[in-house]
Amino acid sequence: MSDMSQSAALDRRERVRNGLSRRHRGEAIFRGIGIAAIAIALALVGTLFWQVLSKGLPAFTQATLHLDVTFDEDVITAGPAPLRSDYASAAQYEAAFLDWRRALAGINWAALIEQAVRAEMPELDAEASDIRRLVDNNAGLTLRQMYQDDPALLNQTLNVALLGSADTDNWLKGTIDRSLPDARQQLSAVTRAIADRFAADGVISMDFAWHIFTNTDSRTAPASAGLAGAFVGSLYMMLVVVVLAVPIGVASAIYLEEFAPKNRFTDLIEVNINNLAAVPSIVFGLLGAAVFINYFRLPISAPIVGGLVLTLMTLPTIIIATRSSLRQVSPSLRQAALGLGASRTQMVFHHVLPLTLPGILTATIIGVAQALGETAPLLLIGMNAFVANIPGTPLDQSSALPVQIYLWQGNENRNFFEARTSAAILVLLGLMITLNAIAIFLRTRLERNK
Amino acid sequence: MKTALYAGAALAVVTVALGATAAQAQTRQTIQIAGSSTVLPFASIVAEEFGAAFPEFNIPVVGSGGSSGGLRQFCEGVGDNTIDIANASRKIRTAEVEACAAAGVTDIREVVIGYDGIVFAVNADKGDFALEPVHVYKALAAQVPVDGEMVDNPYTSWADIDSSLPDQPIALAIPAGNHGTREVFEERVVVPGCEEAGVDDADACITFRQDVVVEIAGDYTETLSRLQSNTDTIGVFGLSFYEQNTDTLKVATVSGVEPSMETILAGDYPVSRPLQFYVKGAHIDAVPGIAEYVEFFLSDVMAGAGGRLEEAGLIPLEADTRAQIVADFNEGVQAAAE
């Protein structure tokens, strides 16, 4: 009898030991898989960041020429700027000023740059076209703007910083293979020699490219293309999203959670809101084109339409997140408020809502960050356009940051715009990280104050 | 909190109302353009220079979407929320003129801006291609004649088609149907090649095999990345794109002629086409600057020989031709559909 029970106990212990080692093994495997998953995710994120950073960072510096430019009166033949006092009416002055500006636009500003380059390298034997390829088309506009702002510059010599052309930048950075034969290079041998010589002398330096942030997109002067227009366009859209999506989203969440009766109809609404959150964003773009542009006759390529479309996309995110944070508020708080005689509205607005603020804020910022990076619906409402203006109002045509990335990615001046595309991605990523950091900061602050 | 919420809601309502009324009241001040991605670089350059030369007008907004996409938007109707100008790398079709008329767009004026070549290019480290239209046809048609009978395309290497071509697996990246380039490609290369091969069935000519032909709906950069992922691919590009990317691409001759500005201008290179844009006549007085834009586009400094657009790869028209086009535009001569 005791023999039997002893052997049974041994048997059980054996079984337990076996089972234990199996469980330990299982746990080790699971942990291993978990660590591997995280390692893979980190490696992928790391590769992405490394790719974007290694490509994009060089774009933040750009070949810039520092030349002594003389505003030669033989070249600048537009005459003096019209004076207000010479004209009887403001309209006449306006017309004369426009004529003068048009005359300035017709001046061969590249000739001034050519003179300056030849002065820097007196031994130079080059065609005018070789020199013109050295600098960006924007250089002429820079000089014109300087002169237009201050006509007293006539016959003065000034050291001016002028952007090198995209091809010069490629050549000096080595983004185009320097060993390729002449026929496959973008710049002539003479231009390349000038660029190398200037880079060695310090006439061309790699300066920080501020214009990425201050200029709009440009095709005629690719080296000066910037993100300002797209940035402002995105800003307007986010403004529309915040102004529309937050009040509507929070209000519907409060109503559905706190006031609405629980019946088939509200269940249906809830299911549909969840479905809406899963609708592909391109569908919202189609809807935007059909409803806002064709029916309400809002302008094409305008941030207001983009904002409205993105609002529709962000609404479910905000509603769902707000509802879940409302649900987390303890029912005893509600009962206490009601028990003390508060009305339901007072209960919600005085006691429940303040507690959910961090949740709503996080939802808003995450929703906005998501909308900020959305591209597909914008392509359908004409925001994938080349826009060289900074939009003044949300009704003006504009581009948006993610669309600008898409446009630059498709630019035929690939060597130059590959880096520029990555730089735009960096700016967008920076903006997203900032938004998320603000969300985290505000949430922790609000939660501490609670 | 309560007041903040109410204020927010009120603000939202006001914004929407304002937006709606402003859109109703506002007449658009900026020229709105869309269409061909081949014309886009040229139109964008002109738009910017136009803004500089005519400070009283806004810089026009130039969208893409391909020739067909642009003309579809163009034919949506007349009014602020429709585009003024459609860029196209092919001529407008009769069906499109009819669609336009149905939507109330009856005054369509064509402005030809210059010529562009369509080139075949391979990765720079690949062999030299001397293509004939018939080679291209035999490479991409679904069915080809072999010994007088139509059979499923048997060719796998270019050398199978003609021993003068490199022994390289056949792979082609051609523009998709939304691009005007596709139509010109079919008309100028595939159909002549098809006729040369002795086939007289137009549909069979332009039915392509799906295994080696990739249709690119996006920009030429997409074609280029296709060439980089499958290095045997031959891509179809615009001449201007090729010229900006000579460091990675090598161009093929067609019928023995190397594509260049000179050979296209002289009419030697067979695969070239006019580029143009279509202007909505009803918008000319409604949106400021359209007439000036057209005239500026065809001026010597832009579309002329030695102008900005030639630098960017457009093959210019003669001065008389351009003057005639501007005159026709101002007189309201209507676009003829093909």
Side-chain angles (χ1 to χ4, degrees), chain A residues 98 101-102 105 132 137 141 144 175-176 180 183-186 217-221 243-244 247 250-251 254 293-294 296-301 304 308 345 349 353 357 382 384-389 395-397 409-415, chain B residues 1-2 5 8-9 11-12 15-16 19-20 22-24 26 28 30 32 40-41 44-45 48-49 52-56 58-64 73 76 78-79 81-83 124 219 221 224 228 241 243-248 308 311:
Chain A
L98 272 180
R101 276 186 65 174
R102 192 157 307 136
R132 208 174 59 235
N137 265 316
L141 296 182
R144 193 186 75 196
T175 36
I176 188 165
L180 290 175
R184 286 170 60 191
Q185 291 284 355
Q186 290 297 316
D217 192 11
S218 175
R219 281 267 186 175
T220 181
V243 166
L244 290 178
V250 172
I254 292 174
I293 293 180
N294 288 345
F296 285 108
R297 306 190 82 77
L298 286 169
I300 24 181
S301 311
I304 179 122
L308 287 170
T345 317
F349 284 97
L353 200 57
L357 265 189
N384 58 335
F386 169 82
V387 186
N389 300 306
L395 289 162
D396 290 343
Q397 290 95 333
Q409 193 273 330
N411 194 292
E412 62 277 4
N413 197 332
R414 183 180 44 85
N415 289 315
Chain B
M1 192 56 233
K2 193 176 176 180
L5 234 144
L11 196 64
T15 318
V16 174
Q24 296 291 331
Q26 179 209 29
R28 188 151 46 79
T30 311
Q32 190 100 32
L40 177 98
S44 309
I45 288 172
E48 266 184 280
E49 301 277 351
F54 292 86
E56 67 269 42
N58 289 337
I59 302 176
V61 170
V62 191
S64 61
Q73 278 193 56
E76 269 169 7
V78 173
N81 61 335
T82 60
I83 59 171
D219 297 320
T221 37
L224 187 65
Q228 279 154 356
F241 184 90
E243 288 195 328
Q244 295 262 340
N245 290 281
T246 44
D247 58 324
T248 53
R308 273 296 286 123
E311 261 174 57

Side-chain angles (χ1 to χ4, degrees), chain A residues 120-137:
Chain A
E120 194 71 45
M121 261 176 98
E123 76 283 7
L124 184 67
D125 175 29
E127 302 285 325
S129 62
D130 289 328
I131 297 176
R132 208 174 59 235
R133 296 295 298 275
L134 190 68
V135 290
D136 193 46
N137 265 316

Side-chain angles (χ1 to χ4, degrees), chain B residues 252-325:
Chain B
T253 61
V254 176
S255 308
V257 183
E258 183 166 332
S260 70
M261 288 208 150
E262 292 74 31
T263 53
I264 293 171
L265 197 57
D268 295 336
Y269 185 72
V271 205
S272 74
R273 37 74 190 272
L275 300 178
Q276 55 267 306
F277 57 82
Y278 292 94
V279 181
K280 208 176 275 178
H283 281 198
I284 292 173
D285 293 324
V287 180
I290 292 184
E292 287 85 350
Y293 172 80
V294 171
E295 200 165 324
F296 184 71
F297 207 126
L298 291 183
S299 65
D300 289 340
V301 286
M302 290 289 126
R308 273 296 286 123
L309 297 184
E310 188 180 7
E311 261 174 57
L314 181 76
I315 294 138
L317 298 169
E318 297 290 330
D320 311 343
T321 320
R322 281 183 281 120
Q324 185 58 44
I325 292 167

Side-chain angles (χ1 to χ4, degrees), chain A residues 51-302:
Chain A
Q51 275 268 338
V52 173
L53 280 173
S54 63
K55 272 190 192 162
L57 283 181
F60 286 103
T61 61
Q62 229 172 294
T64 311
L65 289 90
H66 299 271
L67 288 171
D68 291 319
V69 177
T70 308
F71 288 83
D72 192 340
E73 64 179 350
D74 294 338
V75 178
I76 305 171
T77 49
L83 294 172
R84 177 67 187 90
S85 51
D86 293 346
Y87 295 93
S89 74
Q92 279 172 342
Y93 167 71
E94 204 67 29
F97 190 72
L98 272 180
D99 283 343
W100 182 66
R101 276 186 65 174
R102 192 157 307 136
L104 285 186
I107 282 168
N108 183 11
W109 296 96
L112 295 183
I113 298 166
E114 190 187 332
Q115 285 177 2
V117 169
R118 288 191 194 278
E120 194 71 45
M121 261 176 98
E123 76 283 7
L124 184 67
D125 175 29
E127 302 285 325
S129 62
D130 289 328
I131 297 176
R132 208 174 59 235
R133 296 295 298 275
L134 190 68
V135 290
D136 193 46
N137 265 316
N138 171 269
L141 296 182
T142 310
L143 293 180
R144 193 186 75 196
Q145 195 61 45
M146 284 174 72
Y147 183 75
Q148 189 185 314
D149 292 343
D150 183 11
L153 284 174
L154 198 62
N155 286 330
Q156 285 190 31
T157 302
L158 231 71
N159 191 286
V160 187
L162 299 169
L163 276 179
S165 69
D167 291 329
T168 309
D169 193 66
N170 283 334
W171 170 251
L172 290 174
K173 279 182 184 157
T175 36
I176 188 165
D177 187 351
R178 291 177 64 111
S179 61
L180 290 175
D182 275 4
R184 286 170 60 191
Q185 291 284 355
Q186 290 297 316
L187 293 174
S188 68
V190 180
T191 315
R192 275 158 22 219
I194 307 175
D196 281 339
R197 156 80 193 278
F198 277 3
D201 292 354
V203 176
I204 293 183
S205 58
M206 289 293 169
D207 291 1
F208 188 77
W210 287 110
H211 57 269
I212 290 185
F213 304 100
T214 55
N215 279 8
T216 59
D217 192 11
S218 175
R219 281 267 186 175
T220 181
S224 73
L227 289 168
F231 186 86
V232 176
S234 275
L235 196 76
Y236 281 139
M237 288 200 299
M238 293 311 115
L239 210 72
V240 174
V241 169
V242 169
V243 166
L244 290 178
V246 175
I248 298 178
V250 172
S252 19
I254 292 174
Y255 180 75
L256 284 175
E257 198 59 37
E258 302 287 341
F259 297 97
K262 299 274 175 282
N263 56 25
R264 280 247 169 123
F265 183 65
T266 46
D267 281 351
L268 188 76
I269 291 180
E270 173 155 5
V271 169
N272 275 313
I273 288 174
N274 289 337
N275 281 341
L276 207 59
V279 169
S281 56
I282 190 121
V283 176
F284 289 112
L286 284 168
L287 179 86
V291 174
F292 298 125
I293 293 180
N294 288 345
Y295 186 73
F296 285 108
R297 306 190 82 77
L298 286 169
I300 24 181
S301 311

